[in-house]
Amino acid sequence: MPINDIVIRVAGESGEGIVTIGEVFVRIAAFSGLEVYTFRTFPAEILGGHVIFQARIADRPVLSQGDDINVLVSLNQEGYDTHVSELEAGGIVIYDDAVVTPRDSDRHLLYPIPVSQIANSLNFPRGSNLVMVGAMVQLMGLPFERAEQVVRRRLGRYAEMLPKNLEALAAGYRYAQERFPSHPPAYLVPPEQIAEEKLVLTGYQAIALGALAAGCRFFAGYPITPATDLMEFMASELPKAGGTVVQAEDEIAAINMVIGASFAGLPSMTATSGPGLSLMIEAIGLASMAEIPIVVVDVQRAGPATGMPTKTAQGDLYMAFYAGADEAPRFVIAPSSVEDCFYQTINAFNMAELYQMPVIILSDQALAPRVETCTFFNLENIRLWKRQLAELKPGQPFERYKITHSGVSPITIPGTPGGQYVAEGLEHNEQGHPDYSPEMHRLMTKKRWNKVNAARHHVFGLENAVEEWGDQDAAIGILGWGSSLGPVKEAMVRAQAAGYRVAALFPKILFPMPDVRIRRFIRGRRILIIPELNSLGQFARVIEHRYTRQLVQDSISVISLNKYDGLPFRPVEIFEEIKRVSALLTRRTWPR
Amino acid sequence: MTLDHPVPIKDLKSDVKPIWCPGCGDYGVMHAVLKAISELQLDPAHIVIASGIGCSGRFPAFVKTYGFHGIHGRALPLATGVKIANPNLTVLAVSGDGDGLSIGAGHLPHAARRNVDITYLVLDNAVYGLTKGQPSPTSAWGMKTKASPYGTVEHPLNPVAMMLACGTTFVARGFSARPQELAEIVKQGILHPGFAFIEIISPCVTFLDTYAFYKQRVVSIPENHDRTDRMAALALAFETEKIHLGIFYQDPDSHPHHTTLSEMRQKISGSYSLQALLERFRR
């Protein structure tokens, strides 16, 4: 029975307050000094449809949502029926016995709490969720004072309801205490003292805070699941910093406003999901051509067209890398944890501003809304890179698109006397005047791509551009990107404990590709496992294409581990693949 | 930003030679716009002209202000971003009837709803010129072109009536062949604190020469028209015998978007600190 590393799943109908129960409970755990990591799926409908909120809670850093469920909280029969098969043998079911009848009751430990009855007895039927939270706090061993603090902080907005909410919380806690005097076999032990300074926040919030730290002062967006929360957070915070948020009429308007605002001097961003990104692609080409810094966040979701808006995927890599007319250089960055979201967003703004380029941040539906505990952000060590302003010389025409070694041409901001130029979407000469000559198109294409090469040499000096760990001499290497880093890390801990040797590399900046680091990483390996939440193995194909010669010469095999069911990797899936691939290596026929 | 002297029109022209055909209405429009800028003593370093695609889209290249030649149909959102980022700039957007009323038409009601302080010039020649003569949203019903060999089956839009219905706070129509009157309309549009929509009849001599047609039909809006009366303006816009030129409507109480935004910021802002914001997430 696990103690201090527990996976709790709350399941029920959308509209029953599943997410409220989950969010309040994980915050109580986090504020009690434990580490948390949440995962949720929900239907796109506001009311009705199946929803889960899952939290892994431990006394050490948590990197994935875990494998088996230890505790299932269900508020209706369907929630119980759908999820009980994933509950470990001997696992705990906490449920409202007025509406849920457990089958299979000898396999699990049952903790019935008549939440609606308790709430009704308080004349507060809507309080049943907090009754459940109170019972969960007691059963899982969390301190009641922390629970009270969190409810005050989180639900304090509805001041007139606060006494009722606290009453419901206490009633649930007391009921569980009286009915179940001893702990269930799985529970949590919060540390006596909370030493380290930590933050508890979502991926959205980390990106938004990173943007604010990077000096972002304009945001335009259009509502789209699962990126809307980012716009809402910016709408609340950006005006306080003197900035502006516009809810545009569509994604095309949003990104063009962002380009206009950046042209006028403000670091600017938008956020969307795959369908919105595809609408923005033409304008990303414009930002690339006219050399205007912008940051575009893509919270990836599953499926083409409307697909599965509330499910996760890593399927937009090709679109981020390549989509658009002809060839438009851009940068692509993929953060891998909530904490990383903050620092990579700063990298995104820095690269956009310094190189006057569009930068796409690839987040996803699992990373963006999840709550993690992370080390307090250090604002003092942040270095901001600014766009290089032109020194204007009287009598000399300003050359906005001057060809330079790095490809970066100093810029002016409207309002600067003598700095007038036209930001041009047509091919143009150094002055920015339209020019279709073969020579000019060749020169300017090269100039724009030179910025990618200049960045390749420059940004990989950044400490957080790449994350590499594991057994350096291992024959098996895992190469991945984005939010699958956590499950890979946990799988590797297990693999190493079981005697398998594995190394891993996750570039955070994917475009430009960190060639030197990747070449060094794959040298001497025999197998590269590339785990991705897509069906084609998009990153694997990029790697195969880019490093063909080395892979062929050194007989290194690339094995794609593809998952495309709308759900994130579980550590066990990566671990099983490590085991399978290790067995392949021991075969005599495997190429040496 | 105004100067203490006007910049002469010739000094507002860049050294890029316009690509427009000789006789194109757009020359007249450019002259009128430069005249308005000069007479208002605006500082060209504080003007941004955003444009989309089409013959009209080339406008910024020929003048010595800041400019942004964007993608097809997106002059308005580009200009909106510019104006929000720096409300001290004078922002104009230039489109044609294809750019502004077809591919970019979705932005029109929203620019009007925001009342963003942009002067939007739609250079209407009722034909796609740059792609050589296809019908546009303002082409007459039944017009035969290479793309509509049996005549168009769509009815033309009435841009002035449409923008009046959207709640635009300044709606006008000018004619490139009447540059004096047009310059005055553009001046009023720039001075108007809010979204100013100006349809400018600007004939295409190559694919649809309508000079004679319009010269017979255009009349200035009668002096007794009350331009604060939106319904009277709509009645004028729907008149079919005559094509009225001038300011159809202007809201005397227009409150521009950037002012609303700055009032909102003043209401909510205390002292901003990122560190304090982080504290909200401290465990």
Side-chain angles (χ1 to χ4, degrees), chain B residues 43-233:
Chain B
D43 174 2
H46 280 82
I47 299 173
V48 172
I49 304 179
S51 67
I53 298 301
C55 296
S56 64
R58 297 302 194 94
F59 195 103
F62 313 138
V63 295
K64 273 193 188 163
T65 64
Y66 282 90
F68 204 135
H69 185 197
I71 49 177
H72 200 15
R74 315 305 164 196
L76 270 184
L78 264 182
T80 300
V82 172
K83 186 67 190 185
I84 293 172
N86 184 355
N88 294 322
L89 299 170
T90 299
V91 182
L92 290 86
V94 183
S95 286
D97 39 317
D99 196 64
L101 302 173
S102 188
I103 187 170
H107 305 303
L108 286 168
H110 307 285
R113 284 171 56 223
R114 289 184 190 105
N115 200 25
V116 54
D117 188 9
I118 293 169
T119 306
Y120 189 30
L121 313 174
V122 175
L123 280 48
D124 185 359
N125 56 12
V127 72
Y128 280 73
L130 201 65
T131 51
K132 301 190 197 282
Q134 298 76 28
S136 92
T138 50
S139 297
W141 192 86
M143 186 168 104
K144 287 184 178 170
T145 72
K146 273 206 237 173
S148 56
Y150 314 111
T152 58
V153 294
E154 293 94 355
H155 291 275
L157 284 176
N158 182 332
V160 167
M162 184 170 91
M163 295 315 292
L164 283 167
C166 287
T168 314
T169 54
F170 182 103
V171 182
R173 185 190 288 133
F175 184 24
S176 65
R178 291 202 192 183
Q180 298 292 332
E181 186 185 40
L182 178 58
E184 195 50 43
I185 293 170
V186 173
K187 267 164 77 171
Q188 294 306 316
I190 291 173
L191 291 172
H192 174 70
F195 185 51
F197 177 87
I198 307 174
E199 183 199 8
I200 303 173
I201 298 163
S202 177
C204 172
V205 287
T206 307
F207 295 104
L208 188 66
D209 191 339
T210 51
Y211 278 114
F213 174 89
Y214 282 111
K215 277 181 178 163
Q216 283 169 16
R217 284 168 180 80
V218 292
V219 291
S220 296
I221 289 173
E223 283 192 13
N224 62 359
H225 168 64
D226 176 5
R227 67 166 68 155
T228 65
D229 181 344
R230 197 180 285 273
M231 294 313 286

